[in-house]
Amino acid sequence: MELNVSDIGEKDIVKYILSKCNTITPDDTAITKIDDNSNLISTTDMLIQSKHFPKNMTYFQMGFKAVTVNVSDLAAMGAKPLGFLLSIAIPDSLNFSNFKEIIDGVLEACEFYEIPLIGGDTNEASEIIINGTALGTNEDSLMKNTYKNNDLIAITGNIGLAALGFYSNDLKYLDNILKPVARIKEGMILKENGATSATDITDGLASELHEMFNGKGMLIYEDKLNISDEFKEIANNMGLNYLDLIFNFGEDFELIFTIPKDKVKDLEEKLDFIIIGEINDSSEINIKLANGKIKKIQKKGYNHFKKEI
Amino acid sequence: MELNVSDIGEKDIVKYILSKCNTITPDDTAITKIDDNSNLISTTDMLIQSKHFPKNMTYFQMGFKAVTVNVSDLAAMGAKPLGFLLSIAIPDSLNFSNFKEIIDGVLEACEFYEIPLIGGDTNEASEIIINGTALGTNEDSLMKNTYKNNDLIAITGNIGLAALGFYSNDLKYLDNILKPVARIKEGMILKENGATSATDITDGLASELHEMFNGKGMLIYEDKLNISDEFKEIANNMGLNYLDLIFNFGEDFELIFTIPKDKVKDLEEKLDFIIIGEINDSSEINIKLANGKIKKIQKKGYNHFKKEI
């Protein structure tokens, strides 16, 4: 029987590409040495209207987000922005004023992240497709899995807010899903102040912890996740498990990073962050629940193609 | 009345973006200084199955072409390849074996052009969409319009062959439309051997001559265009004007370039090329027909969105 890509799933599709190609670094971005002291950092991400843009998202927000998703990967490497390429396809029936709103969103994001729009491509398609490419530089990169035993695990802000923006009717959470902001300055500060690894958690915290796994163990404490009663109540009202939302919804553009204990004090002077756990030698990815029990954190996260069975 | 993008046309859409943004160099690629001696050259191009891939194109050829269209822009700048990013969306009903053929095409092209695949993104869409980003470096760039009076105008190979591949049933021309090859080595040789400007002619020769226009004049000689009797006959059989095919069909991945007369001899030792005309001070873009008459070359070329009236 011929297999379709839906039988294979995105992770195995990516594995196939990696198996055929030894020139890809499997991290948040590509890393290309350009001289003795610096790397070119490059990343590309495609957003498709029917898959990635909520119905209530404005055209401006679509443009802004197309920059954010790419810049977030630069941030995860501790890179300094260099330039952004915009490849955009739109239906020929789109109002020109709406197209202008998308471009305004792209340009405002480029200004916000201090990453100049340097080129691109325009095309016609049956729906809006925006493929961004973000370019940056760094001296060396914040990889995903270069932490050491006893390093602390931390995040640059609260998680679960995008899930609230998606599930609640409260307007105050809406921007978290409609106009998220990438942590580009935070990434550079982390790199300069002793962080030992980092990645963004847009695919969900559980999925990213598994991506970071290097054979050592990780322990996350529920009590340190800053989960508000309001959050639990909203999840409950929707019939959802609040920890499932925290670990598996994703779309929060925060960075998760590791840092040696003796570097925490210095970093606290430069950055707001929340310590949520630590690296240990258990070889397992666990959570210590509020009730004291320890449970494994399963890998879920978003997977294109693969259908839930 | 609200205008749609189809009322505006691609060229004016691009003009709108350029009017809002002073960080784009309007040439074949973006150019970003990375140190005293080198530029990062970057370009991005999206191919959409229903718009860009002929029905008889194989999956392998789709992958190969997605690299070619991007590398061709590096070639037009005289750049050395550095890396390729692949952003691909496919329907979940696509056979996995067909997906593997696309990837094989991408990887074979990357090997052929000596441009490593360094990263990418995978997505699900209703049809195949391949967005490539090609990165390269150079010391200085072969711009489109930096030629001088009396420079000669030349191309790196015969034009019109893609049109033959499209319109004729002769299998020997099919590769010109299904598996075109970018002139990456030729671009670097041109840059190192005195060419004063260059661009690729994938949008059609007439369109590119107008893109190159800098106020000086250009004269192209029909007699120098190497148009075979077979070409004229095929055009005639299709009820098409052969000069229209030569000037406006596009899809030939040759470079058009300018070179001072005193550099021609040296270049001839390193590269095959055809001199088709010269820069003059007429301020017009003209062709001298085989019958001796001089006519203006109109700008046509492909324009997404804009409908013919």
Side-chain angles (χ1 to χ4, degrees):
Chain A
M1 201 190 85
E2 281 262 43
L3 289 173
N4 290 342
V5 292
S6 59
D7 301 313
I8 308 288
E10 188 179 18
K11 301 274 174 191
D12 285 336
I13 280 177
V14 172
K15 263 189 204 159
Y16 172 77
I17 299 174
L18 293 175
S19 75
K20 300 278 284 184
C21 174
N22 62 9
T23 48
I24 297 176
T25 317
D27 211 285
D28 294 293
T29 69
I31 306 167
T32 309
K33 203 147 197 62
I34 45 178
D35 61 40
D36 285 350
N37 299 315
S38 54
N39 301 306
L40 175 67
I41 300 300
S42 58
T43 184
T44 189
D45 238 330
M46 187 186 288
L47 298 181
I48 300 173
Q49 187 172 14
S50 57
K51 309 275 172 195
H52 298 99
F53 298 138
K55 290 249 183 306
N56 54 343
M57 187 175 239
T58 66
Y59 291 99
F60 180 94
Q61 289 166 337
M62 292 178 193
F64 199 99
K65 188 166 180 186
V67 183
T68 294
V69 294
N70 281 287
V71 167
S72 184
D73 285 327
L74 293 188
M77 302 302 272
K80 183 169 180 282
L82 186 68
F84 184 75
L85 298 167
L86 173 72
S87 196
I88 181 169
I90 47 175
D92 65 358
S93 60
L94 186 73
N95 279 347
F96 186 49
S97 60
N98 295 335
F99 172 77
K100 289 201 270 191
E101 285 174 55
I102 299 174
I103 298 301
D104 289 349
V106 167
L107 290 172
E108 186 164 306
C110 284
E111 198 172 331
F112 180 76
Y113 296 121
E114 298 179 12
I115 187 167
L117 178 64
I118 56 175
D121 184 32
T122 53
N123 270 292
E124 190 189 342
S126 56
E127 60 178 326
I128 296 169
I129 303 163
I130 312 183
N131 193 100
T133 301
L135 306 172
T137 53
N138 66 14
E139 285 183 30
D140 53 342
S141 299
L142 267 177
M143 308 302 288
K144 281 188 175 181
N145 53 14
T146 41
Y147 46 82
K148 301 271 184 346
N149 200 4
N150 297 316
D151 283 357
L152 296 174
I153 303 171
I155 46 178
T156 51
N158 281 310
I159 50 175
L161 297 180
L164 287 187
F166 189 79
Y167 286 111
S168 91
N169 293 317
D170 196 330
L171 288 177
K172 76 177 177 226
Y173 296 118
L174 215 52
D175 267 5
N176 293 302
I177 191 84
L178 296 181
K179 200 184 168 191
V181 173
R183 297 297 193 185
I184 187 73
K185 281 181 184 154
E186 290 79 355
M188 287 186 276
I189 292 171
L190 289 175
K191 178 66 224 158
E192 287 156 13
N193 290 276
T196 47
S197 68
T199 187
D200 68 357
I201 53 170
T202 52
D203 286 346
L205 181 56
S207 172
E208 298 301 348
L209 288 170
H210 281 267
E211 286 285 318
M212 293 173 81
F213 186 68
N214 70 1
K216 290 193 184 58
M218 302 172 182
L219 182 62
I220 306 297
Y221 297 85
E222 179 183 347
D223 283 346
K224 297 188 174 184
L225 287 170
N226 268 6
I227 309 173
S228 66
D229 290 341
E230 188 187 0
F231 189 93
K232 293 178 188 173
E233 194 183 319
I234 290 170
N236 198 38
N237 289 343
M238 301 281 162
L240 300 165
N241 178 308
Y242 68 89
L243 280 177
D244 193 40
L245 275 191
I246 287 283
F247 278 95
N248 298 314
F249 184 83
E251 290 299 313
D252 292 306
F253 282 77
E254 302 295 342
L255 300 177
I256 182 168
F257 62 96
T258 54
I259 185 143
K261 284 174 186 162
D262 61 0
K263 304 273 187 189
V264 167
K265 207 166 159 238
D266 279 357
L267 187 62
E268 276 174 343
E269 286 168 20
K270 289 161 185 155
L271 195 70
D272 288 330
F273 59 94
I274 306 160
I275 294 168
I276 62 168
E278 71 233 357
I279 302 296
N280 59 30
D281 55 7
S282 70
S283 300
E284 290 182 351
I285 306 175
N286 291 327
I287 180 167
K288 185 169 187 182
L289 296 170
N291 64 14
K293 283 190 185 156
I294 290 183
K295 282 188 70 174
K296 280 198 180 168
I297 297 174
Q298 304 294 330
K299 182 178 187 172
K300 286 188 184 170
Y302 188 70
N303 191 346
H304 290 292
F305 309 116
K306 195 86 175 179
K307 299 290 173 278
E308 296 285 336
I309 300 166
Chain B
M1 201 192 83
E2 282 261 43
L3 289 173
N4 290 342
V5 291
S6 58
D7 302 313
I8 307 287
E10 188 179 19
K11 301 272 174 191
D12 285 338
I13 279 177
V14 172
K15 264 189 203 158
Y16 172 77
I17 298 174
L18 293 175
S19 75
K20 298 279 284 183
C21 175
N22 61 9
T23 47
I24 297 176
T25 317
D27 212 284
D28 293 293
T29 69
I31 306 167
T32 310
K33 203 147 197 63
I34 44 177
D35 60 40
D36 287 349
N37 299 316
S38 55
N39 301 305
L40 174 67
I41 301 300
S42 58
T43 184
T44 189
D45 238 331
M46 187 186 287
L47 298 181
I48 300 173
Q49 186 171 14
S50 58
K51 309 275 172 194
H52 297 98
F53 297 138
K55 290 248 184 305
N56 54 344
M57 188 174 237
T58 66
Y59 291 100
F60 180 94
Q61 289 165 339
M62 293 178 193
F64 199 99
K65 188 165 180 187
V67 183
T68 295
V69 295
N70 282 287
V71 167
S72 185
D73 286 326
L74 293 187
M77 304 302 271
K80 183 168 180 283
L82 185 69
F84 185 75
L85 298 168
L86 173 72
S87 195
I88 181 168
I90 47 175
D92 64 0
S93 60
L94 186 73
N95 279 346
F96 187 49
S97 60
N98 295 335
F99 173 76
K100 288 200 268 190
E101 285 174 53
I102 299 174
I103 299 302
D104 288 348
V106 168
L107 289 172
E108 186 164 305
C110 285
E111 198 171 330
F112 181 76
Y113 297 121
E114 297 179 14
I115 186 166
L117 177 64
I118 56 175
D121 184 31
T122 53
N123 269 293
E124 189 190 341
S126 57
E127 59 178 324
I128 297 169
I129 303 163
I130 312 182
N131 194 98
T133 301
L135 306 172
T137 53
N138 65 15
E139 284 184 29
D140 54 341
S141 299
L142 268 176
M143 308 301 289
K144 280 188 178 183
N145 53 14
T146 41
Y147 47 82
K148 301 271 183 346
N149 200 4
N150 296 318
D151 283 357
L152 296 175
I153 303 171
I155 45 178
T156 50
N158 281 310
I159 49 174
L161 297 181
L164 287 187
F166 189 78
Y167 286 111
S168 90
N169 293 317
D170 195 329
L171 288 178
K172 75 176 179 229
Y173 296 119
L174 214 52
D175 266 6
N176 293 301
I177 191 84
L178 295 181
K179 199 183 169 191
V181 173
R183 297 296 193 184
I184 188 74
K185 281 182 184 154
E186 290 80 353
M188 287 186 275
I189 292 171
L190 289 174
K191 179 66 223 156
E192 286 157 15
N193 290 276
T196 47
S197 68
T199 188
D200 69 357
I201 54 169
T202 51
D203 285 347
L205 181 57
S207 173
E208 298 300 349
L209 288 170
H210 281 268
E211 286 285 317
M212 292 173 81
F213 187 67
N214 70 1
K216 290 194 184 58
M218 300 172 182
L219 182 63
I220 306 297
Y221 296 87
E222 180 184 347
D223 284 345
K224 297 188 175 185
L225 287 170
N226 268 5
I227 310 173
S228 66
D229 289 341
E230 187 187 359
F231 190 92
K232 292 178 189 174
E233 195 184 317
I234 290 170
N236 198 37
N237 290 344
M238 300 280 162
L240 300 164
N241 178 307
Y242 69 89
L243 281 177
D244 194 40
L245 276 192
I246 288 283
F247 278 95
N248 297 314
F249 184 82
E251 291 298 314
D252 292 306
F253 283 76
E254 301 296 342
L255 301 176
I256 182 168
F257 63 96
T258 53
I259 185 144
K261 284 175 186 162
D262 61 1
K263 305 272 187 189
V264 167
K265 204 162 162 243
D266 278 356
L267 188 62
E268 277 173 342
E269 286 167 21
K270 289 162 184 154
L271 195 69
D272 287 330
F273 60 93
I274 306 159
I275 295 168
I276 62 168
E278 72 233 357
I279 302 296
N280 59 31
D281 56 6
S282 71
S283 299
E284 291 183 348
I285 305 174
N286 292 326
I287 181 167
K288 186 169 184 180
L289 296 169
N291 64 14
K293 284 191 184 155
I294 289 183
K295 283 188 70 172
K296 281 197 181 169
I297 297 173
Q298 303 295 329
K299 182 180 187 171
K300 287 188 184 171
Y302 188 70
N303 192 345
H304 290 292
F305 308 117
K306 195 86 174 177
K307 299 289 174 279
E308 295 285 334
I309 299 165

